[in-house]
Amino acid sequence: MRWFVPALRCLLTTLPISAFPFYGAEVARVEAAGIKSTGLEIAASGNACVESYDFSKGQPLPAFTGHASSVGPMALADVDGDGDLDLFIGGQVIPGQYPLPADSLLFRQANGQWVLDEETTRLLRGVGLVNGAVWSDLDGDGFPELVLACEWGPIRVFQNQAGRLREVTGEVGLAGHTGRWTGVTTGDLDEDGRLDLIAGNWGINSHDQASPEQPLHLYFGDLAGSGNVDILEAEFDPVRGQYAPRHLRETLQAALPFLAERFPTHRAWSRATIVEVAGERRNFLRQLSVTTLASTVFFNRQGRFEARPLPVEAQLAPVFGVSVADLVVTQNATPTKLYRNVGARPGLRVRLQGPPSNPDGVGAVLRLRCGDRWGPARELHAGSGYWSQDSVTAVLGIRAAPRAVQVRWPGGKISEQPVGENTAEITVRYRAER
């Protein structure tokens, strides 16, 4: 088993592994020729962005090359259907240069080694401020798509074409839904067999408001001529129909001293627009926009996604965790909310035994047939939500006498196993082609 944990955020103690307070651990058993040790992956300083902590040796060893972006979410999947798990490493921010877009990386397993996928990494260069990531088979072809929750950007989707990624964010209707997205996962909420997106956002219970008609804007650039990235938060002034700086003059002039001379009185500052504040350096400014702050479900409509906000209870604070369990939502400084499926009864526990290099069947999609009806699809994720981790045991809802479990394994192979009426738990084993 290997654990993947972002930068310098874990404390190794004598407590059991389950008690470690890791912030964003991604866990999966990763076994291949030359990669067989049980360990913990932690982010590192220096040239390595992630180190492998091997419990059998009791020491960290560099595992992945570094890059300029701070490590954010990580997610594992069998990207190319070869039976090995590959690792996405999300770039959350470039230190000291927020909100410039960060780079992300993809490492594949090859001949028992982790190898940087240079083609995909070029595609992910400057992909954004990635707060959440999940691999999910959105089109049902056996190859998982990469879905990224980007702050000051959209939910980005990269279609997997037999191991090669291509961005389709605009094609699936997500480009216009820019937000301060915090995390993303998938689940079949409407039981049509297609996996829907559930994305956490900043919420609507704050002074920030955003809509397609009046987006929330963030301006940034080198306003002081110091070589640093300066930020101007803006709000829409309905009287003048223009965007104005949000913060007090005293707050901003600490970083931009010229504002005191340009706007000597509070009255002058109250009438200032963003263009006037930037003055002759306005050409150095770049702009990011947010059209929604609502945590949202995007229903999968076969090649397009239909957006619907989550209930108001999920909008009262930023959502930093989403789990389709029934549906669990966690928020900063507020209680975790569980939306229970009131029509449910105790489900069937399903454990997978995958191929040797993916023994837990990460990326498999399960469905349970009760009577003549197939239930919702359930996918096993190693990394989803807001730096979260799924259980390797899936619980499938039972509405009538269960008949069979269907598993679509990574790569597209489908198997089906009968289920007895009073069965509470089963194990489904991967059968290799002969």
Side-chain angles (χ1 to χ4, degrees):
M1 181 182 292
R2 287 177 176 254
W3 287 39
F4 297 88
V5 183
L8 303 178
R9 286 173 176 153
C10 66
L11 175 64
L12 298 184
T13 73
T14 58
L15 295 173
I17 292 175
S18 60
F20 284 177
F22 294 137
Y23 187 45
E26 318 299 359
V27 185
R29 287 192 286 171
V30 180
E31 300 179 13
I35 309 179
K36 290 184 178 294
S37 61
T38 296
L40 162 73
E41 301 295 342
I42 62 174
S45 57
N47 189 46
C49 64
V50 175
E51 290 181 343
S52 174
Y53 190 91
D54 191 331
F55 287 108
S56 65
K57 297 179 180 179
Q59 63 181 7
L61 298 172
F64 304 97
T65 56
H67 61 137
S69 305
S70 293
V71 174
M74 290 180 272
L76 285 155
D78 183 359
V79 177
D80 46 12
D82 65 353
D84 295 328
L85 290 177
D86 310 299
L87 177 64
F88 168 82
I89 301 177
Q92 190 180 33
V93 67
I94 303 174
Q97 299 191 56
Y98 179 92
L100 289 176
D103 299 338
S104 294
L105 309 172
L106 179 65
F107 284 87
R108 300 188 190 242
Q109 289 193 55
N111 299 319
Q113 302 293 325
W114 291 104
V115 179
L116 180 67
D117 182 333
E118 296 185 1
E119 178 183 351
T120 302
T121 295
R122 283 194 297 270
L123 178 65
L124 298 174
R125 186 171 297 155
V127 72
L129 308 174
V130 180
N131 285 331
V134 64
W135 292 98
S136 187
D137 188 4
L138 301 178
D139 55 13
D141 65 352
F143 293 91
E145 278 63 55
L146 177 62
V147 186
L148 306 179
C150 297
E151 187 170 345
W152 293 101
I155 300 295
R156 303 186 71 165
V157 175
F158 294 83
Q159 185 183 42
N160 188 341
Q161 299 176 323
R164 300 188 65 181
L165 299 187
R166 180 179 74 91
E167 184 166 16
V168 293
T169 304
E171 295 175 32
V172 298
L174 295 175
H177 297 278
T178 55
R180 298 186 64 181
W181 302 108
T182 55
V184 63
T185 191
T186 62
D188 183 8
L189 299 186
D190 52 4
E191 302 187 16
D192 62 357
R194 296 188 294 269
L195 293 162
D196 310 304
L197 306 178
I198 305 97
N201 207 342
W202 209 246
I204 59 176
N205 186 31
S206 74
H207 54 70
D208 289 335
Q209 299 295 320
S211 67
E213 295 73 30
Q214 292 184 6
L216 182 67
H217 288 331
L218 183 72
Y219 298 86
F220 63 100
D222 184 9
L223 286 175
S226 62
N228 297 321
V229 178
D230 304 307
I231 295 175
L232 286 176
E233 295 183 64
E235 59 187 2
F236 185 75
D237 183 347
V239 175
R240 288 172 293 174
Q242 298 186 62
Y243 281 87
R246 162 168 291 161
H247 292 291
L248 297 175
R249 183 191 62 171
E250 286 75 9
T251 301
L252 288 178
Q253 74 181 33
L256 307 172
F258 63 85
L259 293 180
E261 180 179 350
R262 186 176 298 169
F263 304 96
T265 66
H266 290 293
R267 179 183 294 273
W269 182 251
S270 69
R271 296 173 177 173
T273 65
I274 288 292
V275 172
E276 292 167 344
V277 169
E280 67 278 2
R281 297 192 67 82
R282 60 182 175 271
N283 291 334
F284 292 86
L285 278 185
R286 295 169 62 182
Q287 174 186 310
L288 294 172
S289 300
V290 162
T291 60
T292 180
L293 292 169
S295 296
T296 303
V297 171
F298 296 94
F299 286 102
N300 189 340
R301 303 306 189 203
Q302 287 186 309
R304 299 284 295 179
F305 285 91
E306 175 188 327
R308 293 188 191 176
L310 284 172
V312 67
E313 293 87 351
Q315 310 294 352
L316 300 181
V319 169
F320 284 103
V322 180
S323 175
V324 181
D326 298 316
L327 180 61
V328 179
V329 177
T330 61
Q331 301 172 309
N332 263 4
T334 60
T336 296
K337 295 184 180 295
L338 170 63
Y339 295 90
R340 182 174 180 271
N341 185 344
V342 295
R345 73 186 204 185
L348 174 70
R349 294 171 58 86
V350 181
R351 183 72 182 251
L352 301 182
Q353 287 188 2
S357 54
N358 182 11
D360 294 319
V362 169
V365 179
L366 298 81
R367 296 188 78 180
L368 176 63
R369 180 163 60 88
C370 296
D372 296 327
R373 179 179 176 183
W374 287 102
R378 175 68 61 85
E379 189 172 44
L380 299 184
H381 300 144
S384 66
Y386 178 76
W387 303 7
S388 303
Q389 171 67 40
D390 285 2
S391 169
V392 295
T393 300
V395 180
L396 306 182
I398 297 174
R399 292 186 174 177
R403 293 288 182 261
V405 170
Q406 182 189 83
V407 180
R408 185 173 71 241
W409 300 92
K413 176 181 171 63
I414 295 176
S415 62
E416 189 172 315
Q417 180 166 317
V419 178
E421 185 171 352
N422 297 317
T423 302
E425 183 171 348
I426 66 168
T427 298
V428 181
R429 295 172 175 81
Y430 178 83
R431 307 294 183 187
E433 297 286 353
R434 294 186 177 181

